[in-house]
């Protein structure tokens, strides 16, 4: 393929022979695409010259062709001429990235980074557009591969994070829940109750605490076995949870003892609720409960409140025993 000399519009700018020889060397061997577009009107752009690197990529004679003739695909041609018109409108060098005007042998589109420079005549009119296009396909594909890999890593991190959060939630549940009954264990009950008491103390609102145990639980274990005793504990815990209000706190305090903390509840109202609890347990579980009630004072902590409720429970048991 014969190589074209540099465009006359460039050669006319150079009067010294050595300058022209340097320009010839640059035009012949510059590895990126160099091209000169003649501006016949803002709607008509004609290829005036391309360097050998671009001629090799195009693969057929293109000098003298309009952009529409060079690129039969109307959308591609419109994309190119839109950039040309933008350069005319701003009248200063324009850099942009484009894709797909020429393809690799595999059929994959090429990515180009193009610098477009307007050239003017003596009257300042833009007569030509000089462009240099660099093939950045490998860079673009590498960037896309990196972005895809980053997306996969982000998805993997999100998956592992979700698994870790689920594991932490399970561990937290194990640490805060009674393994047998599923309600709060003693440690969690104390923590939640202390928060409730702080709120009652700060807002000057009432609070009551119930302590309940299962009458004759040792006899159940001794006569029916520990599996039966465990089943009773689970049934009682579920019945208490179903009967209490959503705002109430319930936990297994130890053995067959349960504690319920009742925010915004005075002792008298707590007694009514306690009787509902006893009735529900008797009906659903076939056993009876002993209970003690303590009314919160600003000087109480959890231990003192439980201690008073426990004393009330013992008094109630003695009174029930004496009445039989």
């Amino acid at each position: 393929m014969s190589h074209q000399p540099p465009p006359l519009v460039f050669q006319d700018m150079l009067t010294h022979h050595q300058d022209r020889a340097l320009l010839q060397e640059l035009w012949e061997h510059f590895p990126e695409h160099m091209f000169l577009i003649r501006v016949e009107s803002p709607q008509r752009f004609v290829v005036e010259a391309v360097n050998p690197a671009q001629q090799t990529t195009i693969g057929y004679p293109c000098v003298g062709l309009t952009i529409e003739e060079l690129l039969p695909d109307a959308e591609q041609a419109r994309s190119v001429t839109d950039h040309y018109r933008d350069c005319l409108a701003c009248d200063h060098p324009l850099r942009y990235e484009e894709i797909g005007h020429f393809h690799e042998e595999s059929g994959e589109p090429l990515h180009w980074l193009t610098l477009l420079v307007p050239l003017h005549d003596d009257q300042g009119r833009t007569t030509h557009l000089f462009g240099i296009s660099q093939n950045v396909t490998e860079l673009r594909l590498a960037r896309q591969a990196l972005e895809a890999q980053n997306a996969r890593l982000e998805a993997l991190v999100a998956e592992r994070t979700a698994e870790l959060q689920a594991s932490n939630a399970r561990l937290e549940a194990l640490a805060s829940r009674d393994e047998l009954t599923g309600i709060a264990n003693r440690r969690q009950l104390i923590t939640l109750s202390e928060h409730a008491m702080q709120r009652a103390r700060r807002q000057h609102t009432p609070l009551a605490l119930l302590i309940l145990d299962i009458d004759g639980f040792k006899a159940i274990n001794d006569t029916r076995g520990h599996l039966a005793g465990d089943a009773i504990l689970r049934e009682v815990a579920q019945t208490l949870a179903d009967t209490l209000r959503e705002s109430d706190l319930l936990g297994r305090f130890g053995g067959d003892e349960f504690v319920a903390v009742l925010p915004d509840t005075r002792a008298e109202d707590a007694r009514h609720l306690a009787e509902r609890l006893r009735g529900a347990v008797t009906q659903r579980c076939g056993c009876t409960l002993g209970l003690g009630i303590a009314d919160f004072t600003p000087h109480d902590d959890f231990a003192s409140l439980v201690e008073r409720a426990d004393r009330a429970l013992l008094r109630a048991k003695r009174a029930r025993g004496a009445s039989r």
Side-chain angles (χ1 to χ4, degrees), residues 229-243:
D230 289 348
I232 290 291
L233 287 173
R234 284 192 293 267
E235 291 174 3
V236 169
Q238 186 62 54
T239 301
L240 295 176
D242 291 344
T243 308

Side-chain angles (χ1 to χ4, degrees), residues 212-249:
L212 311 102
D213 67 2
I214 301 173
D215 291 331
F217 184 70
K218 183 176 183 303
I220 295 175
N221 278 335
D222 291 343
T223 58
R224 296 167 55 186
H226 288 281
L227 290 180
D230 289 348
I232 290 291
L233 287 173
R234 284 192 293 267
E235 291 174 3
V236 169
Q238 186 62 54
T239 301
L240 295 176
D242 291 344
T243 308
L244 288 167
R245 301 166 302 184
E246 187 175 347
S247 58
D248 296 331
L249 305 175

Side-chain angles (χ1 to χ4, degrees), residues 143-174:
R143 184 186 303 174
Q144 290 174 352
L146 180 60
E147 290 172 351
Q149 179 64 15
N150 287 340
R152 287 192 292 270
L153 289 175
E154 289 175 1
L156 182 60
V157 169
E159 181 182 349
R160 294 294 183 266
T161 300
E163 291 175 354
L164 181 60
Q165 290 173 342
S167 297
N168 288 340
R170 288 192 293 270
L171 289 174
E172 184 177 349
L174 290 173

